[in-house]
Amino acid sequence: MFQGTIPGPMRAIVRETARSWPQGSPVYIPCCGNFTIERSLADMGFALHSSDVSIYTSAIGRWLTGQPVGIQLHEESADQLHWMADSLDDGIGTVATLMLATRFLASVGRDGLWHERVVRSYRDQWKAKHAETVERLSRSDVALASYEVEDVRSWLQKVPRDAPVCSFPPFYGGGYEKLYEPLEQHFTWDAPEYEPLSDADVVGVLGAITDRPYWLTASNHDVPELQSFLRGVIKATPRAAPFYVYASEAPTRIVAPRQPIEPVRAPRLRGGDELVAPLSLSLLKPGQFNALRSRYLNPRIAPGAANLAVAVKDGGGKILGVFAMAPSSYTPDEAYLLSDFAVAPTDYPRLSKLIVLAATSSEAQLLCQRAFSRRVRAVSTTAFSNNPVSMKYRGLLRLTKRGPSAEDGWKFQLQYQGVMGDHTLAEAMEKWAKRWGARQTTMQTGE
């Protein structure tokens, strides 16, 4: 229902810290965003006072305090979105409309089959989706004592000095404006006038929050000035940015991701072993994939969640490597190669190319189509490298984009794409053996 950006461990810390605040006192929540803090404190007996400036948050805040929401369609958007007009009732119906709109408005007016399908899907199912969202909203147990549409810098000046303040300010200057730009484009409301927070303003807001006896805040900026108040570091998933939790008083916490691991009993190709045909594919459980990935994947590469994990085996049943797939978020008939790696050490320095060939085979295509319930014709992947090309994908996939790396420790972020299913596993083995399958053995000597 509500969009959430704060991980579960952070919400638990909010409740734990709030138990040390004066019971029954008012709690002030500037930059309340998605009302994560309010939902965490809803049943603890505090009078909750919130403020924000975004169209999305203000619609919810006004509804929760019984105020008219005051949001309508822009005249320029009436032709495109006329099927939403009857849902805008200046109350719960308007809130439900904005919640659903955040999921598809970015595709309105954009070219491309994907965007057209997204908008058409919501238009065709609008009445049912809207009614369902209204029904879910009506069950909300969040109660606010007040909500004001006001800039955090001025609103904090009104907050009583001895009242607890809990807030997760925007982590980057201009973050709100970018997030809710599609809503502002298609809806009109009595928007407040304010200057967007710069990165320096964010630090200033943190200072205003902490200048009182009871407070809690979090940021994905490590703030040196608040080092003595650091109460926790939260990294909910391997790819998530860390949250730094600061509070006047709170227990210390470190939250890190934990992967479930399951044993993989199949043998693996090792140094001295000869690779023999034919190739075969075996599905892996998530814990088995995690175990193999932890053993063989470069530890500097943050892992992601796979929809399909597959082991590549030779004719002797030995695991040669693993690939993992997920459905593409942007192209309906494309699979995303989330991870691929070969076991090591072996006598085959180009074994990783065989894993890529297996991952793009017709047998792998069939597994993807069954797992994703859609036709799959192409595959894409992202490589991080200190070289301008990836030698693993060179000659197998087409380089479509090269840019600076978004991950620490790498110079380049490379995008690759290729055809899925234009060869069988047998053809993959034959091609690899001819071009890259030379075996390099090391002579062992002894006394």
Side-chain angles (χ1 to χ4, degrees):
M1 185 173 63
F2 294 90
Q3 295 186 37
T5 56
I6 305 302
M10 185 70 247
R11 296 192 288 271
I13 288 176
V14 169
R15 289 181 62 86
E16 183 180 48
T17 304
R19 293 191 184 100
S20 66
W21 298 341
Q23 294 303 299
S25 69
V27 173
Y28 291 83
I29 305 141
C31 303
C32 60
N34 298 306
F35 297 91
T36 307
I37 297 171
E38 288 85 344
R39 284 178 281 153
S40 301
L41 302 178
D43 61 349
M44 297 186 68
F46 296 107
L48 304 176
H49 300 267
S50 306
S51 76
D52 211 309
V53 293
S54 77
I55 182 173
Y56 176 86
T57 305
S58 295
I60 300 173
R62 286 174 170 176
W63 166 63
L64 289 174
T65 52
Q67 303 176 58
V69 175
I71 295 174
Q72 297 295 329
L73 272 175
H74 268 303
E75 291 183 6
E76 295 83 355
S77 301
D79 289 340
Q80 288 178 306
L81 302 173
H82 61 87
W83 42 275
M84 296 169 52
D86 291 342
S87 302
L88 299 172
D89 62 358
D90 214 23
I92 190 172
T94 299
V95 174
T97 299
L98 264 66
M99 285 185 170
L100 290 170
T102 59
R103 304 176 186 176
F104 73 90
L105 275 190
S107 292
V108 172
R110 296 183 63 180
D111 295 330
L113 183 61
W114 173 258
H115 298 294
E116 293 173 4
R117 286 180 174 175
V118 168
V119 177
R120 183 169 63 250
S121 172
Y122 275 89
R123 184 188 64 217
D124 293 346
Q125 303 177 67
W126 181 255
K127 289 186 178 180
K129 286 181 175 291
H130 188 266
E132 178 186 351
T133 306
V134 168
E135 196 275 331
R136 293 175 64 191
L137 280 170
S138 66
R139 299 198 303 265
S140 172
D141 60 354
V142 179
L144 299 184
S146 71
Y147 177 84
E148 294 186 44
V149 183
E150 186 171 349
D151 181 74
V152 58
R153 288 159 288 197
S154 60
W155 194 73
L156 277 173
Q157 296 176 12
K158 303 177 183 179
V159 175
R161 297 280 303 168
D162 58 347
V165 170
C166 186
S167 179
F168 306 141
F171 300 137
Y172 300 102
Y176 270 178
E177 290 71 25
K178 187 66 175 178
L179 180 63
Y180 297 120
E181 185 178 359
L183 292 179
E184 294 282 2
Q185 178 182 350
H186 293 285
F187 292 94
T188 180
W189 70 302
D190 54 334
E193 294 185 4
Y194 68 97
E195 289 293 326
L197 293 176
S198 66
D199 289 346
D201 289 333
V202 171
V203 176
V205 168
L206 289 174
I209 291 171
T210 59
D211 187 22
R212 55 192 67 250
Y214 306 103
W215 57 271
L216 183 146
T217 189
S219 173
N220 62 359
H221 294 282
D222 185 5
V223 185
E225 294 82 359
L226 297 179
Q227 187 63 35
S228 61
F229 297 102
L230 181 64
R231 307 302 183 193
V233 179
I234 297 174
K235 189 172 177 63
T237 67
R239 288 186 173 273
F243 282 84
Y244 298 91
V245 183
Y246 305 94
S248 52
E249 293 183 10
T252 57
R253 294 285 184 267
I254 295 178
V255 179
R258 177 180 177 274
Q259 291 189 117
I261 299 295
E262 296 183 45
V264 181
R265 294 184 172 85
R268 300 148 203 196
L269 191 73
R270 302 183 184 277
D273 293 343
E274 183 178 0
L275 193 160
V276 295
L279 297 182
S280 63
L281 303 179
S282 296
L283 296 179
L284 293 171
K285 296 178 181 179
Q288 293 174 322
F289 171 61
N290 291 338
L292 291 169
R293 177 176 59 186
S294 299
R295 173 66 179 85
Y296 297 109
L297 189 66
N298 190 315
R300 290 192 294 170
I301 300 176
N307 295 68
L308 176 70
V310 181
V312 182
K313 296 181 178 180
D314 75 350
K318 295 177 180 177
I319 295 178
L320 308 178
V322 173
F323 64 85
M325 297 286 195
S328 172
S329 300
Y330 305 102
T331 307
D333 63 347
E334 186 176 82
Y336 184 75
L337 184 56
L338 188 72
S339 179
D340 63 277
F341 52 89
V343 300
T346 72
D347 296 343
Y348 301 91
R350 297 291 182 265
L351 184 58
S352 60
K353 283 186 173 289
L354 180 58
I355 307 307
V356 177
L357 282 166
T360 54
S361 66
S362 56
E363 289 88 343
Q365 179 188 37
L366 181 59
L367 290 178
C368 287
Q369 290 177 158
R370 288 174 176 173
F372 308 156
S373 297
R374 65 167 81 169
R375 177 74 68 182
V376 175
R377 297 183 177 89
V379 63
S380 64
T381 192
T382 305
F384 296 94
S385 175
N386 289 321
N387 300 312
V389 296
S390 168
M391 297 308 295
K392 177 170 62 172
Y393 299 123
R394 185 178 181 181
L396 301 178
L397 301 177
R398 183 179 74 260
L399 179 63
T400 59
K401 184 178 180 181
R402 180 191 296 118
S405 174
E407 300 281 348
D408 292 337
W410 308 102
K411 291 182 180 179
F412 299 102
Q413 183 168 324
L414 310 171
Q415 301 295 132
Y416 282 89
Q417 189 177 49
V419 176
M420 186 80 155
D422 67 343
H423 59 264
T424 65
L425 285 174
E427 291 167 341
M429 181 67 185
E430 182 180 359
K431 179 178 181 178
W432 175 81
K434 285 183 177 180
R435 298 186 61 180
W436 304 291
R439 186 179 180 189
Q440 297 182 5
T441 58
T442 301
M443 298 298 295
Q444 300 293 327
T445 61
E447 298 180 358

